[in-house]
Amino acid sequence: QDGHSTNCLTTATSCDLGGLNCGTVYYVYVRALGVQFNSSVSSGVSLSPAPCLPSSVQAQVDCGSDGAALLSWSYTDGANNYTLSANGVGGEAVSCTTQQNHCNVTGLSCGGHYNVTLTATNQECQITVPINASFDTRPCAPQHVAVDLTCGTQIADLSWEERSEVELYVSSAARWSDGAVQHCNSTGSTCHFTDLTCGETYSFTVTASANGCHSPPSNTVQINTEPCQPTGVTSQLLCNSEQFLLSWNPASGAALYMVTATGNLGYMEAFNTTNTSLSASLPCGQTYSVT
């Protein structure tokens, strides 16, 4: 149909026609050649060689879900149907068939790398070739997330399982009392949170980023930071007895208070209480420091 022609000569009842253009419909005629005369041409039959294939495929990954990507290509001559296969490096494969120049592949795994193969078919032929195209799905949510609090430092270390395809991890620590959030970026498997507030509960999550897509957040892990130091400590000695009265302001995050009294002659006694005041007796005749 495009004006191209070719021919072959044979003394048999068949011959091979080479040099046909892909995706072009040819009309084939046969003429018998004699010593003196030639026959008229036979009635024509149509012949459709293999369809042409596009030179490239574009992939648009759905960053909002784990399992889908839209793949598109230019229309080519001679193809009635296209079957596109996405083959993962782990052996998994998904495909879609269409008469259009695009299709959605679903059932993809998060954090996967897929190579693309395209098959074009018409009434006569089917041709399959690897296309120089591949794509990566959005990263998986980080796994095995854990947090470790270093007491006395207001520092927490968040850790997770690192994956090779991830370009950046973004972790966050949300304070329960007011929703304030700290962020920490990492290219490895840990993040270091400093200056945490005493007496608070923090929730930690981490997300992974690669190729412009972000993973869902990881499972949440929580810690309670160390209690704040008591403030407003006052003491009162009852002079007509061996008792003293100690009081202080409530300390955020405290479940129990330990009061230690140390005398100048070496006597020491400790008291535990869940209240914000304590009345106790101490041996007379000493000067006490109380913490």
Side-chain angles (χ1 to χ4, degrees):
Q1 287 182 333
D2 63 356
H4 177 255
S5 64
T6 186
N7 61 74
C8 64
L9 296 174
T10 182
T11 57
T13 57
S14 65
C15 68
D16 293 329
L17 286 169
L20 301 178
N21 294 333
C22 67
T24 301
V25 177
Y26 288 85
Y27 292 95
V28 181
Y29 304 90
V30 179
R31 182 194 298 270
L33 304 180
V35 176
Q36 291 185 332
F37 301 101
N38 300 329
S39 73
S40 59
V41 296
S42 68
S43 58
V45 294
S46 64
L47 173 67
S48 299
C52 300
L53 279 172
S55 59
S56 63
V57 174
Q58 291 76 44
Q60 182 178 348
V61 175
D62 182 1
C63 289
S65 67
D66 287 336
L70 174 65
L71 293 107
S72 59
W73 54 91
S74 58
Y75 280 109
T76 57
D77 293 331
N80 295 334
N81 291 284
Y82 300 95
T83 298
L84 186 140
S85 297
N87 305 291
V89 294
E92 69 275 17
V94 294
S95 63
C96 59
T97 299
T98 180
Q99 294 179 336
Q100 307 299 317
N101 68 330
H102 56 83
C103 68
N104 275 304
V105 288
T106 57
L108 304 171
S109 300
C110 65
H113 179 80
Y114 289 85
N115 296 310
V116 176
T117 297
L118 189 64
T119 299
T121 60
N122 59 18
Q123 297 92 333
E124 306 287 343
C125 295
Q126 172 178 300
I127 183 169
T128 302
V129 295
I131 300 295
N132 185 25
S134 62
F135 63 92
D136 298 295
T137 54
R138 75 169 181 174
C140 300
Q143 301 295 309
H144 305 122
V145 179
V147 63
D148 181 45
L149 176 69
T150 304
C151 291
T153 64
Q154 297 178 321
I155 293 174
D157 290 306
L158 188 68
S159 62
W160 54 87
E161 181 182 14
E162 186 177 359
R163 291 181 59 120
S164 59
E165 72 273 8
V166 174
E167 298 168 354
L168 181 69
Y169 293 97
V170 179
S171 53
S172 62
R175 191 166 59 199
W176 277 29
S177 62
D178 58 4
V181 178
Q182 292 187 40
H183 294 284
C184 176
N185 296 342
S186 173
T187 56
S189 61
T190 59
C191 238
H192 198 60
F193 288 89
T194 61
D195 299 324
L196 300 179
T197 304
C198 63
E200 289 280 357
T201 299
Y202 282 86
S203 295
F204 295 83
T205 58
V206 58
T207 59
S209 300
N211 301 305
C213 288
H214 306 288
S215 75
S218 67
N219 291 333
T220 301
V221 292
Q222 295 176 353
I223 58 167
N224 295 316
T225 57
E226 62 191 59
C228 298
Q229 289 185 351
T231 60
V233 180
T234 60
S235 62
Q236 181 182 357
L237 181 64
L238 303 180
C239 294
N240 59 350
S241 70
E242 295 179 353
Q243 284 195 320
F244 74 97
L245 178 64
L246 193 71
S247 62
W248 55 89
N249 296 327
S252 180
L256 181 71
Y257 298 95
M258 177 181 290
V259 178
T260 302
T262 304
N264 64 323
L265 298 180
Y267 180 83
M268 185 177 69
E269 189 167 355
F271 308 90
N272 293 331
T273 180
T274 57
N275 300 318
T276 57
S277 63
L278 175 70
S279 177
S281 297
L282 292 172
C284 62
Q286 296 190 53
T287 301
Y288 291 90
S289 62
V290 180
T291 57

